[in-house]
Amino acid sequence: MKVVKFGGSSLASGKQLEKVFQIVTADPERKVVVVSAPGKRYAEDTKVTDLLIECAELCLQNKNPKVQLDNVLGRYASIAEELRLSDAVIREIHDDLLTRMASDKSKPDRFIDLLKASGEDNNAKLVAAYFQSQGIEAHYVDPKEAGLLVSDEPGNAQALPESYERLFSLNERSGIQVFPGFFGYSLSGEVFTFSRSGSDITGSILANALKADLYENFTDVDAVYSVNPSIVQKPKEIKELTYREMRELSYAGFTVLHDEALVPAFRAGIPVNIKNTNNPAAPGTLIVNERDNTNGPVIGIASDKGFCSIYVSKYLMNREIGFGRKLLGVLEDYGLSYEHTPSGIDDVSVILRENQLDEKVMVEVIDRIKNELQADEVKVAHSLSLIMVVGEGMRRNVGTMARASKALANASVNIEMINQGSSEVSMMFGVKEVDEKRAVKALYEEFFVPVTV
């Protein structure tokens, strides 16, 4: 049995939904279909989820969200019209949205989650209705009734352990089950969403719970590429990579798959196949527990911008018990999460997402580190990009770090910091944002472009 998930671009129009129908019905093993909210039809278009967030924010401000509501309903109506569906499904969606908008607004984050989740929920109803109109037995699945229980964390919900046992009963149902992605229900019956692009997480949870043979994740690219195609033209496709490699690449900027989505599938040992809705015959990329390392030390290079580093130096830091705890305790007091902590004998850098900090918080954090930890030097570097070089083969290959450093030096890219993961599956380079693309190109040429004699 296969669980198959379709992203927003795969469901953006009636024409796209027709492709989804052909893909699902072409393989009788595709029993459970997880759907996102309708995405962009073209570059300047707006995703339904973004329209719903605007609608929710206007409701919270006691402003009239008629334009946004009409746009949301118009997207579903356009798809239904293309597919010649009855008006009944649009009336159901309309009534559902009005009910949600009239809900309790005393807890804004929960209200926004309730409205956001309607994008996937109502699209699942529409998709099920289309399948039924084509003579296929298909059923919309209510996550609450099916038992997808999550923690009560708005915008960052986690599946509760008991969900997996409850969801297993979907195996007993006949026909195709159309399941809305992105959200679940708390024990008290409230809607909470996963982090953005969380439909990937829903698909992975269901694959685990149903003990699927394969989790297929359909998007709008033929495969996962070894580097961002917007930086390097026609990069090498990755045919197979491990969960760990994909997790590192997703974290560092690969947007093909949500970086949390692999966890449930990984725990159950279920392979994940990334495929293209617009070219389903392409084999795509397979994500597995283990693979043959025949491609060299590096499988992919990812990059992301928007970081800063807090550099702290203190003589004999290594002799001071509790220094690291105190340092991170200051960040915790301000609700700041960190990404990496490269360190030396007498110094340490803490890498953070820059959007967590405003000028006031930054000044206070620096002041506390200087005074409470008696640091000799504290300085902040802004506008950093992190570049991740990833590959299981690096564990058995000598000289990968030297090759990468030399490639960056030859491209006149100054390395602000270096950090290698303890698993030796990845190495991270911090560079200035202005140097990011040049650095990525240099690393790609080093590890993926054959040397001509």
Side-chain angles (χ1 to χ4, degrees):
M1 191 271 282
K2 298 177 182 177
V3 171
V4 53
K5 178 261 176 180
F6 291 92
S9 62
S10 300
L11 300 161
S13 66
K15 183 178 179 181
Q16 287 298 97
L17 187 43
E18 287 175 343
K19 295 177 185 178
V20 167
F21 176 80
Q22 295 298 327
I23 290 168
V24 173
T25 55
D27 187 345
E29 291 297 304
R30 291 173 176 142
K31 296 289 189 182
V32 176
V33 179
V34 178
V35 301
S36 299
K40 291 186 177 184
R41 296 160 292 185
Y42 44 86
E44 298 78 22
D45 201 10
T46 304
K47 296 178 180 180
V48 164
T49 300
D50 291 327
L51 291 171
L52 289 166
I53 293 171
E54 290 179 26
C55 189
E57 290 173 343
L58 288 170
C59 287
L60 291 169
Q61 298 167 22
N62 293 317
K63 295 180 179 178
N64 189 349
K66 184 180 185 305
V67 173
Q68 288 74 15
L69 178 61
D70 288 346
N71 285 338
V72 171
L73 289 170
R75 290 294 304 275
Y76 290 114
S78 173
I79 295 170
E81 185 177 345
E82 276 188 75
L83 301 173
R84 298 182 177 84
L85 297 179
S86 72
D87 293 338
V89 66
I90 300 303
R91 287 197 298 271
E92 182 181 1
I93 292 171
H94 175 267
D95 292 345
D96 175 77
L97 283 169
L98 291 182
T99 299
R100 291 175 191 251
M101 289 168 58
S103 299
D104 179 25
K105 301 176 182 63
S106 62
K107 297 178 180 177
D109 288 347
R110 298 182 185 218
F111 177 75
I112 290 174
D113 264 19
L114 178 65
L115 219 54
K116 274 195 303 187
S118 70
E120 279 74 11
D121 200 35
N122 286 319
N123 208 30
K125 297 170 187 175
L126 190 151
V127 171
Y130 173 58
F131 277 50
Q132 292 163 6
S133 75
Q134 299 302 299
I136 298 296
E137 183 186 359
H139 308 278
Y140 157 77
V141 180
D142 180 353
K144 185 176 184 179
E145 183 268 333
L148 179 48
L149 299 175
V150 300
S151 58
D152 55 351
E153 300 173 82
N156 194 36
Q158 306 291 317
L160 299 181
E162 53 265 44
S163 291
Y164 294 92
E165 184 176 346
R166 291 168 180 252
L167 291 167
F168 182 74
S169 63
L170 288 175
N171 277 313
E172 301 169 5
R173 302 188 184 188
S174 63
I176 293 170
Q177 309 302 313
V178 184
F179 203 107
F182 191 37
F183 73 96
Y185 285 82
S186 68
L187 292 170
S188 62
E190 291 184 88
V191 170
F192 290 94
T193 65
F194 300 119
S195 51
R196 195 68 189 262
S197 301
S199 293
D200 290 341
I201 299 174
T202 304
S204 189
I205 290 168
L206 287 170
N208 179 312
L210 299 172
K211 304 188 188 312
D213 300 305
L214 182 68
Y215 170 32
E216 294 180 308
N217 193 299
F218 278 82
T219 180
D220 53 7
V221 293
D222 279 350
V224 177
Y225 296 102
S226 54
V227 72
N228 189 336
S230 69
I231 297 178
V232 176
Q233 290 187 348
K234 296 181 180 179
K236 182 179 178 181
E237 291 184 5
I238 302 174
K239 296 180 179 179
E240 188 176 69
L241 74 167
T242 65
Y243 290 114
R244 184 158 41 187
E245 289 170 330
M246 189 67 209
R247 169 73 174 92
E248 297 273 3
L249 292 168
S250 295
Y251 158 76
F254 273 34
T255 58
V256 173
L257 190 67
H258 192 291
D259 62 346
E260 295 178 26
L262 291 173
V263 176
F266 165 73
R267 288 174 177 163
I270 298 168
V272 179
N273 198 183
I274 308 296
K275 292 178 69 69
N276 189 351
T277 304
N278 301 311
N279 185 20
T285 297
L286 195 64
I287 306 171
V288 295
N289 269 322
E290 297 181 0
R291 66 177 179 85
D292 293 330
N293 295 306
T294 57
N295 63 297
V298 176
I299 193 74
I301 301 164
S303 64
D304 198 9
K305 62 181 63 176
F307 296 91
C308 67
S309 76
I310 301 175
Y311 171 82
V312 182
S313 175
K314 184 176 183 180
Y315 187 58
L316 296 179
M317 179 190 293
N318 66 312
R319 301 281 297 276
E320 187 172 332
I321 296 173
F323 187 91
R325 175 182 56 78
K326 294 174 187 176
L327 173 60
L328 296 180
V330 172
L331 302 182
E332 184 179 359
D333 288 344
Y334 290 89
L336 303 175
S337 62
Y338 70 95
E339 306 293 324
H340 302 276
T341 55
S343 63
I345 299 173
D346 292 326
D347 54 37
V348 60
S349 292
V350 183
I351 314 300
L352 307 93
R353 291 276 180 181
E354 199 153 25
N355 59 11
Q356 298 183 91
L357 296 163
D358 58 29
E359 188 64 32
K360 180 177 180 293
V361 171
M362 179 69 76
V363 170
E364 290 180 9
V365 167
I366 293 172
D367 186 63
R368 284 190 58 184
I369 293 172
K370 285 180 178 177
N371 294 326
E372 295 177 21
L373 279 68
Q374 299 296 303
D376 297 326
E377 183 181 11
V378 182
K379 59 183 181 181
V380 178
H382 295 280
S383 302
L384 297 179
S385 289
L386 299 186
I387 300 173
M388 199 76 78
V389 179
V390 177
E392 296 273 4
M394 288 196 291
R395 291 186 293 179
R396 291 172 292 275
N397 193 280
V398 176
T400 307
M401 178 68 78
R403 288 177 62 186
S405 299
K406 183 179 179 181
L408 293 175
N410 290 341
S412 299
V413 174
N414 184 52
I415 301 172
E416 301 291 326
M417 69 198 69
I418 297 175
N419 190 34
Q420 182 157 19
S422 57
S423 65
E424 298 184 52
V425 173
S426 66
M427 59 180 70
M428 182 271 288
F429 297 92
V431 302
K432 291 293 186 182
E433 285 183 2
V434 294
D435 295 328
E436 178 187 343
K437 290 185 178 181
R438 189 163 77 255
V440 170
K441 288 178 182 178
L443 291 167
Y444 181 82
E445 290 173 4
E446 174 64 32
F447 292 106
F448 293 97
V449 178
V451 178
T452 55
V453 179

